CSV table of all heavy atoms in Angstrom, one decimal:
chain,number,residue,atom,x,y,z
U,59,PRO,N,52.0,-0.7,48.7
U,59,PRO,CA,51.1,0.3,48.8
U,59,PRO,C,51.7,1.7,49.0
U,59,PRO,O,51.0,2.6,48.4
U,59,PRO,CB,50.3,-0.1,50.1
U,59,PRO,CG,50.5,-1.6,50.2
U,59,PRO,CD,51.9,-1.9,49.7
U,60,ILE,N,52.8,1.8,49.6
U,60,ILE,CA,53.4,3.1,49.7
U,60,ILE,C,53.8,3.7,48.3
U,60,ILE,O,53.9,4.9,48.1
U,60,ILE,CB,54.8,3.0,50.6
U,60,ILE,CG1,55.3,4.4,50.9
U,60,ILE,CG2,55.8,2.2,49.9
U,60,ILE,CD1,54.2,5.2,51.8
U,61,THR,N,54.1,2.8,47.3
U,61,THR,CA,54.4,3.3,46.0
U,61,THR,C,53.2,4.0,45.3
U,61,THR,O,53.3,5.0,44.8
U,61,THR,CB,54.8,2.2,45.2
U,61,THR,OG1,55.9,1.5,45.6
U,61,THR,CG2,55.2,2.6,43.7
U,62,ILE,N,52.1,3.4,45.5
U,62,ILE,CA,50.8,4.0,45.1
U,62,ILE,C,50.6,5.4,45.7
U,62,ILE,O,50.2,6.4,45.0
U,62,ILE,CB,49.5,3.1,45.3
U,62,ILE,CG1,49.8,1.7,44.6
U,62,ILE,CG2,48.3,3.8,44.7
U,62,ILE,CD1,50.1,1.8,43.2
U,63,THR,N,50.7,5.4,46.9
U,63,THR,CA,50.6,6.8,47.8
U,63,THR,C,51.6,7.8,47.2
U,63,THR,O,51.0,8.9,46.9
U,63,THR,CB,50.9,6.6,49.3
U,63,THR,OG1,50.1,5.6,49.8
U,63,THR,CG2,50.7,7.8,50.0
U,64,TYR,N,52.8,7.5,47.0
U,64,TYR,CA,53.7,8.6,46.5
U,64,TYR,C,53.5,8.8,45.0
U,64,TYR,O,53.7,10.0,44.5
U,64,TYR,CB,55.2,8.1,46.7
U,64,TYR,CG,55.7,8.4,48.2
U,64,TYR,CD1,55.7,7.4,49.1
U,64,TYR,CD2,56.0,9.7,48.5
U,64,TYR,CE1,56.1,7.6,50.3
U,64,TYR,CE2,56.4,10.0,49.8
U,64,TYR,CZ,56.4,8.9,50.8
U,64,TYR,OH,56.8,9.2,52.1
U,65,LEU,N,53.0,7.9,44.3
U,65,LEU,CA,52.6,8.0,42.8
U,65,LEU,C,51.6,9.1,42.7
U,65,LEU,O,51.6,10.1,41.9
U,65,LEU,CB,52.3,6.8,42.2
U,65,LEU,CG,52.0,6.7,40.6
U,65,LEU,CD1,52.2,5.3,40.1
U,65,LEU,CD2,50.6,7.2,40.3
U,66,LEU,N,50.5,8.9,43.6
U,66,LEU,CA,49.4,9.9,43.5
U,66,LEU,C,49.8,11.2,44.1
U,66,LEU,O,49.4,12.3,43.6
U,66,LEU,CB,48.2,9.4,44.4
U,66,LEU,CG,47.5,8.1,43.9
U,66,LEU,CD1,46.4,7.7,44.9
U,66,LEU,CD2,46.9,8.4,42.4
U,67,LEU,N,50.7,11.3,45.2
U,67,LEU,CA,51.3,12.6,45.6
U,67,LEU,C,52.0,13.3,44.5
U,67,LEU,O,51.9,14.5,44.3
U,67,LEU,CB,52.1,12.4,46.8
U,67,LEU,CG,51.4,12.0,48.1
U,67,LEU,CD1,52.4,11.6,49.2
U,67,LEU,CD2,50.5,13.1,48.6
U,68,ASP,N,52.7,12.5,43.7
U,68,ASP,CA,53.7,13.3,42.7
U,68,ASP,C,52.8,13.7,41.6
U,68,ASP,O,53.1,14.7,41.0
U,68,ASP,CB,54.6,12.1,42.2
U,68,ASP,CG,55.6,11.8,43.1
U,68,ASP,OD1,55.9,12.6,44.1
U,68,ASP,OD2,56.3,10.8,43.1
U,69,VAL,N,51.7,12.9,41.2
U,69,VAL,CA,50.9,13.4,39.9
U,69,VAL,C,49.7,14.3,40.3
U,69,VAL,O,49.0,14.7,39.5
U,69,VAL,CB,50.4,12.2,39.2
U,69,VAL,CG1,51.5,11.2,38.8
U,69,VAL,CG2,49.4,11.4,40.1
U,70,ALA,N,49.5,14.5,41.6
U,70,ALA,CA,48.4,15.4,42.0
U,70,ALA,C,48.4,16.7,41.4
U,70,ALA,O,47.2,17.2,40.9
U,70,ALA,CB,48.3,15.5,43.6
U,71,PRO,N,49.5,17.5,41.4
U,71,PRO,CA,49.5,18.7,40.6
U,71,PRO,C,49.1,18.7,39.2
U,71,PRO,O,48.4,19.6,38.5
U,71,PRO,CB,50.9,19.4,40.8
U,71,PRO,CG,51.4,18.6,42.0
U,71,PRO,CD,50.8,17.3,42.0
U,72,ILE,N,49.6,17.6,38.5
U,72,ILE,CA,49.4,17.4,37.0
U,72,ILE,C,47.9,17.0,36.8
U,72,ILE,O,47.3,17.5,35.8
U,72,ILE,CB,50.3,16.2,36.5
U,72,ILE,CG1,51.8,16.7,36.8
U,72,ILE,CG2,50.1,16.0,35.0
U,72,ILE,CD1,52.7,15.5,36.4
U,73,LEU,N,47.3,16.2,37.6
U,73,LEU,CA,46.0,15.9,37.6
U,73,LEU,C,45.0,17.1,37.8
U,73,LEU,O,44.1,17.4,37.1
U,73,LEU,CB,45.5,14.9,38.8
U,73,LEU,CG,45.9,13.5,38.5
U,73,LEU,CD1,45.7,12.7,39.9
U,73,LEU,CD2,45.2,12.8,37.4
U,74,LEU,N,45.4,18.0,38.7
U,74,LEU,CA,44.7,19.3,38.9
U,74,LEU,C,44.7,20.2,37.6
U,74,LEU,O,43.6,20.6,37.1
U,74,LEU,CB,45.1,20.0,40.0
U,74,LEU,CG,44.9,19.4,41.4
U,74,LEU,CD1,45.7,20.1,42.6
U,74,LEU,CD2,43.4,19.4,41.8
U,75,ILE,N,45.9,20.4,37.2
U,75,ILE,CA,46.1,21.2,36.1
U,75,ILE,C,45.5,20.7,34.7
U,75,ILE,O,45.0,21.4,33.9
U,75,ILE,CB,47.5,21.7,35.9
U,75,ILE,CG1,48.0,22.3,37.1
U,75,ILE,CG2,47.7,22.6,34.7
U,75,ILE,CD1,49.5,22.5,37.1
U,76,ALA,N,45.6,19.4,34.6
U,76,ALA,CA,45.0,18.8,33.4
U,76,ALA,C,43.5,18.9,33.1
U,76,ALA,O,43.0,18.9,32.1
U,76,ALA,CB,45.4,17.2,33.4
U,77,LEU,N,42.8,19.2,34.2
U,77,LEU,CA,41.3,19.4,34.2
U,77,LEU,C,41.0,20.6,33.3
U,77,LEU,O,40.4,20.5,32.2
U,77,LEU,CB,40.7,19.4,35.5
U,77,LEU,CG,40.8,18.1,36.3
U,77,LEU,CD1,40.2,18.5,37.8
U,77,LEU,CD2,40.2,17.0,35.8
Side-chain angles (χ1 to χ4, degrees):
I60 191 65
T61 301
I62 303 300
T63 301
Y64 279 101
L65 189 156
L66 293 175
L67 285 171
D68 291 340
V69 302
I72 303 174
L73 282 170
L74 291 170
I75 301 172
L77 297 175

